[in-house]
Amino acid sequence: MITLGNLFDGIGGFPLAAVHNGIIPIWASEIESFPIEVTKIRFPDMLHVGDITKLKGEELPPVDIITGGSPCQDLSVAGTRAGLAGERSGLFMDQIRITKEMRYADARRGKADHLIRPRYFVWENVPGAFSSAGGEDFKAVLEETARIADSTISIPRPPGGVWKSAGCILGYEFTIAWRVLDAQYWGVPQRRKRIFLVADFGGRTAPKILFEQDSMFGDTEEI
């Protein structure tokens, strides 16, 4: 059984994707009352753990995957562009902190490195993250994510300083991949581009997860 914990839950997008793929959503963090009521109906067995800033990873039920789409307003080209220094988009660092705390706690239980939870980390955000702070914010996202597995790592800017819409990092015992996906190819009647970043802290599956297709774009399975 693969389990999931979702931060910045909203109305449960990641938990919904999880259950359609045989993954069990265990807990979610959200502070707005209406979305919480929605997800209580849709996922009655999912625990609501409250404000992300008050959570401690070592006290949460350990899960295999931590997902989160941290607030995008400070990264979006339509916003003030305060970036990760902004009050809202800066909450990304709480996703990092909670993941580290949970992994440290699981490691203390004597788990082998590839079994420490969460093994997988997923982050979703707007493409404006590539250019925020002149590209430094996405560099920080990659470095902070990589440092969950390797605290010494430093990631250089790409040639020309401009981040591509897809890429991957192959670490010694971890992998990170990112890709821009557009919701119009998954049955949504609008263009809605988002960055999806996947980290595998126990192996090399992140590029496989994001880049290997099971079907053609637009060939969505009926549920």
Side-chain angles (χ1 to χ4, degrees), residues 131-209:
S131 59
S132 178
E136 286 297 307
D137 279 344
F138 192 66
K139 178 178 184 291
V141 166
L142 293 176
E143 284 190 333
E144 293 297 338
T145 302
R147 287 171 182 168
I148 293 172
D150 181 354
S151 62
T152 67
I153 199 166
S154 178
I155 295 173
R157 292 280 295 273
V162 179
W163 295 102
K164 303 297 184 182
S165 60
C168 65
I169 296 168
L170 304 179
Y172 178 63
E173 292 183 336
F174 71 93
T175 47
I176 297 173
W178 70 91
R179 180 182 180 185
V180 174
L181 299 173
D182 192 333
Q184 67 175 313
Y185 299 115
W186 276 268
V188 178
Q190 62 172 316
R191 295 187 65 185
R192 188 177 178 86
K193 294 183 178 181
R194 292 292 185 270
I195 303 169
F196 285 86
L197 179 149
V198 174
D200 175 2
F201 301 124
R204 296 185 170 269
T205 66
K208 177 181 175 66
I209 291 168

Side-chain angles (χ1 to χ4, degrees), residues 36-114:
I36 290 172
E37 291 305 313
V38 170
T39 50
K40 282 182 176 179
I41 294 171
R42 295 169 69 182
F43 310 103
D45 296 326
M46 186 171 69
L47 175 68
H48 287 268
V49 296
D51 186 344
I52 186 174
T53 64
K54 296 177 172 60
L55 300 180
K56 296 181 180 179
E58 67 270 21
E59 296 177 355
L60 291 169
V63 291
D64 299 297
I65 309 168
I66 282 186
T67 54
S70 51
C72 66
Q73 293 94 331
D74 298 317
L75 296 171
S76 172
V77 295
T80 61
R81 310 236 74 187
L84 291 182
E87 180 179 355
R88 292 167 293 186
S89 294
L91 292 172
F92 164 74
M93 292 304 299
D94 280 298
Q95 184 172 351
I96 295 290
R97 173 185 59 78
I98 288 166
T99 304
K100 286 181 177 178
E101 290 169 349
M102 185 176 291
R103 284 180 58 82
Y104 291 159
D106 218 32
R108 289 196 295 269
R109 299 183 185 105
K111 294 285 185 80
D113 288 349
H114 69 287

Side-chain angles (χ1 to χ4, degrees), residues 14-25 43:
F14 277 118
L16 180 62
V19 297
H20 285 312
N21 288 277
I23 299 168
I24 308 300
F43 310 103

